[in-house]
Amino acid sequence: MTTKLMILLGAALLLAGCVPSLQPFYTEKDLVWDPALVGEWVAPKDGDWLVVRRAGEKQYEVRMKPSQEDPAVFEARLLELGDTRFVDLYPAKPHRSHTIAAHSVYKLERHGDTLRLAGLDEGWLKKMIRDGKLQIAHELVDNDLLLT
């Protein structure tokens, strides 16, 4: 299996900087399949890495740092909204990195063997909600945004 390059923007891999949601970020009609995502991906700056496997029709399994004794495992679905792709992640099993069983979404760009992931900016999202520019069901839990 060839190792590919992964670039993470704004946060530690899949663990911090995401805005959790109790509901998925997709509907079935938004889901797409890209076989090029399957494989091993490495972030060169911090050495984080993950393994992506097919887990069903239009579904992936993502294992973060699979060599660890207790890797974080996620169910993942790729969605396409217009020309933009996102990945919706949901913990496949309880893990210390995800204290709430909730969905998180990342913008995904793939250029050959380079994958870029960027999480939602929680500060920007809070400002949009506060300024009335975005109406979305949510709660603040210890000042952290939880989409409901």
Side-chain angles (χ1 to χ4, degrees):
M1 186 178 289
T2 304
T3 300
K4 305 169 191 176
L5 179 66
M6 173 178 56
I7 299 172
L8 303 166
L9 305 174
L13 173 65
L14 309 181
L15 301 179
C18 66
V19 177
S21 173
L22 298 180
Q23 305 300 322
F25 286 91
Y26 62 87
T27 62
E28 291 298 318
K29 68 177 179 54
D30 301 319
L31 296 180
V32 295
W33 172 255
D34 184 350
L37 294 179
V38 173
E40 294 180 3
W41 298 89
V42 176
K45 289 186 180 178
D46 54 18
D48 279 341
W49 62 292
L50 51 86
V51 173
V52 179
R53 295 186 178 121
R54 185 173 195 148
E57 186 178 348
K58 298 182 183 178
Q59 184 175 344
Y60 304 84
E61 176 191 80
V62 175
R63 289 183 174 266
M64 183 181 148
K65 295 187 179 182
S67 64
Q68 291 182 347
E69 189 173 308
D70 183 28
V73 181
F74 298 90
E75 297 172 6
R77 289 180 175 76
L78 181 64
L79 55 143
E80 198 167 71
L81 302 175
D83 293 335
T84 306
R85 286 185 164 186
F86 299 89
V87 61
D88 178 294
L89 298 172
Y90 186 80
K93 64 179 188 170
H95 192 269
R96 67 184 177 280
S97 66
H98 258 68
T99 56
I100 298 174
H103 295 264
S104 55
V105 69
Y106 295 83
K107 182 178 179 184
L108 182 144
E109 295 177 357
R110 186 184 59 78
H111 303 283
D113 283 348
T114 301
L115 181 69
R116 293 179 186 270
L117 297 172
L120 286 175
D121 182 327
E122 183 178 11
W124 173 84
L125 202 52
K126 283 180 178 178
K127 182 178 182 337
M128 294 293 286
I129 292 169
R130 184 181 62 245
D131 294 348
K133 295 180 180 177
L134 177 64
Q135 293 187 7
I136 190 166
H138 68 282
E139 295 289 333
L140 286 177
V141 180
D142 295 329
N143 204 33
D144 291 327
L145 189 60
L146 172 64
L147 302 179
T148 59

